[in-house]
Structure formats: structure tokens, C-alpha cells
Amino acid sequence: MEYIDYLQWPAMVVTVASAWFIGSKRAYRRMIAFLGFITSNALWVIWGHHADASQWRSWLLEANLAYPGQADVHLQDFGLALQAARDGYGVALSDEISSSRDLDEGRLVQPFALKVPATMSYYCLGSKDRRTEPELGILIDALVDQAGRTIL
């Protein structure tokens, strides 16, 4: 984990605290919330730009292409990035699961067979009470099998 990855935790804490302060009847607390949201947005943008850029750097390195630097545009929302690619405004990095329907139906194309590992981690979360349901067990087993990992 790189040092910049630690920005996501303060950004999350400031966002949650600001959300709590914004509902106050006192003007100074709402001002604290406003300043907190600005601060958290700045932290998220810095962290998100780094995370997105690192995935592009990994992909470009595998493709033996030069990183264009700051010439590229980063959309912080994955859904917006995919929609921009669907609408012909550029390209997006995506995983096979999120893009499979768009690829199958021709809305998106995979111009290269190149694949790089994701830099982010994803978790399957659910109620502990429902863990014993057979359907949920089948889903978790399929996800673990797909990922080639075990749940600790």
C-alpha cells in the first residue's frame, strides 16, 4: 500500500463528520460541514486521481505505450466513465463482469486482448444472519471460485 492510499480514510471520516454537522440548526456547524465537504472532496480527488492513474499506468506499461501524463481526463464515477465510453467520448478501463453485457451487445469493444490485475480490492458484504442461506453460499462460492482465492 502506498502512502497516498491512506488519504481515503481521512476523506471518509471528514465526509461522515460533515454529513453529521450539515443537519445542525447552528450556522457555525453548517459552515464546518461546508468546509469539511470541500476538504473531503479535495482528498477524494487527489486519492481518486492517483488510483485511476495507477491502473492506466499498469495497462499502458503492459501495452508498451507511453503514459500521456496530465493530458487525460479522469472521471471519478465508474458508471460515468463507462457511459462516456458507450457514447464515444473516449475509453475506459473496466473489469469483465461490469462490461460483459455491453461487450456482448456491441455497445463497447475491447480493442486489445490485454488484461492487467485490478489495483483495488472488493468485498462481498452481507448480514451475518443470512450467511447460512444456501443461495448466498452458492453466490459466495462462485465469487471465490471466480477470483481464485479463499475467504479468510
Coordinates of all heavy atoms in Angstrom, one line a residue, residues 122-125 131 140-141 144 147-152:
Y122 N -12.2 -5.6 -3.6 CA -13.6 -5.6 -3.5 C -14.0 -6.7 -2.5 O -13.4 -7.7 -2.3 CB -14.2 -5.9 -4.9 CG -13.9 -4.9 -5.9 CD1 -12.8 -5.1 -6.7 CD2 -14.6 -3.8 -6.0 CE1 -12.4 -4.1 -7.6 CE2 -14.3 -2.8 -6.9 CZ -13.2 -2.9 -7.7 OH -12.9 -2.0 -8.6
Y123 N -15.1 -6.4 -1.8 CA -15.6 -7.2 -0.7 C -17.0 -7.6 -0.9 O -17.8 -6.8 -1.3 CB -15.4 -6.5 0.7 CG -13.9 -6.1 0.9 CD1 -13.5 -4.9 0.6 CD2 -13.1 -7.0 1.5 CE1 -12.1 -4.5 0.8 CE2 -11.8 -6.7 1.7 CZ -11.3 -5.4 1.4 OH -10.0 -5.1 1.6
C124 N -17.4 -8.8 -0.5 CA -18.8 -9.2 -0.5 C -19.3 -9.1 0.9 O -18.8 -9.7 1.8 CB -18.9 -10.7 -1.0 SG -20.5 -11.3 -1.1
L125 N -20.2 -8.2 1.1 CA -20.7 -7.9 2.5 C -22.2 -8.3 2.6 O -22.9 -8.1 1.6 CB -20.6 -6.4 2.8 CG -19.2 -5.8 2.7 CD1 -19.2 -4.3 2.9 CD2 -18.3 -6.4 3.7
R131 N -25.8 -15.6 6.3 CA -24.7 -16.4 5.8 C -25.0 -17.9 5.5 O -24.4 -18.5 4.7 CB -23.5 -16.2 6.7 CG -22.3 -17.0 6.4 CD -21.7 -16.5 5.1 NE -20.4 -17.1 4.8 CZ -20.1 -18.0 4.0 NH1 -21.1 -18.6 3.3 NH2 -18.9 -18.5 3.8
I140 N -21.4 -16.8 -2.9 CA -20.1 -16.6 -2.4 C -19.1 -17.6 -2.9 O -18.0 -17.2 -3.3 CB -20.1 -16.6 -0.8 CG1 -20.9 -15.4 -0.3 CG2 -18.7 -16.7 -0.2 CD1 -21.2 -15.4 1.2
D141 N -19.5 -18.9 -3.0 CA -18.6 -19.9 -3.5 C -18.2 -19.6 -5.0 O -17.1 -19.7 -5.4 CB -19.2 -21.3 -3.4 CG -19.3 -21.8 -2.0 OD1 -18.6 -21.2 -1.1 OD2 -20.1 -22.7 -1.8
V144 N -15.8 -16.6 -5.0 CA -14.4 -17.0 -4.6 C -13.8 -17.9 -5.7 O -12.6 -17.7 -6.0 CB -14.5 -17.8 -3.2 CG1 -13.2 -18.5 -2.9 CG2 -15.0 -16.9 -2.1
A147 N -12.6 -15.6 -8.4 CA -11.5 -14.8 -8.0 C -10.2 -15.7 -7.8 O -9.1 -15.2 -7.8 CB -11.8 -14.0 -6.8
G148 N -10.4 -17.0 -7.6 CA -9.3 -17.9 -7.4 C -8.7 -17.7 -6.0 O -7.5 -18.0 -5.8
R149 N -9.5 -17.3 -5.1 CA -9.0 -17.0 -3.7 C -9.8 -17.7 -2.7 O -10.9 -18.2 -3.0 CB -9.0 -15.5 -3.4 CG -8.3 -14.7 -4.4 CD -8.4 -13.3 -4.0 NE -8.0 -12.5 -5.1 CZ -7.8 -11.2 -5.1 NH1 -8.1 -10.6 -4.0 NH2 -7.4 -10.5 -6.1
T150 N -9.4 -17.7 -1.4 CA -10.2 -18.2 -0.4 C -10.6 -17.1 0.6 O -9.9 -16.1 0.7 CB -9.5 -19.3 0.5 OG1 -8.3 -18.7 1.0 CG2 -9.2 -20.5 -0.4
I151 N -11.7 -17.1 1.2 CA -12.2 -16.2 2.2 C -11.5 -16.5 3.5 O -11.7 -17.7 4.0 CB -13.7 -16.1 2.3 CG1 -14.3 -15.6 1.0 CG2 -14.1 -15.2 3.5 CD1 -15.8 -15.6 1.0
L152 N -10.9 -15.5 4.2 CA -10.3 -15.8 5.5 C -11.3 -15.5 6.6 O -12.1 -14.6 6.5 CB -9.1 -14.9 5.6 CG -8.0 -15.1 4.6 CD1 -6.8 -14.2 4.8 CD2 -7.4 -16.6 4.7

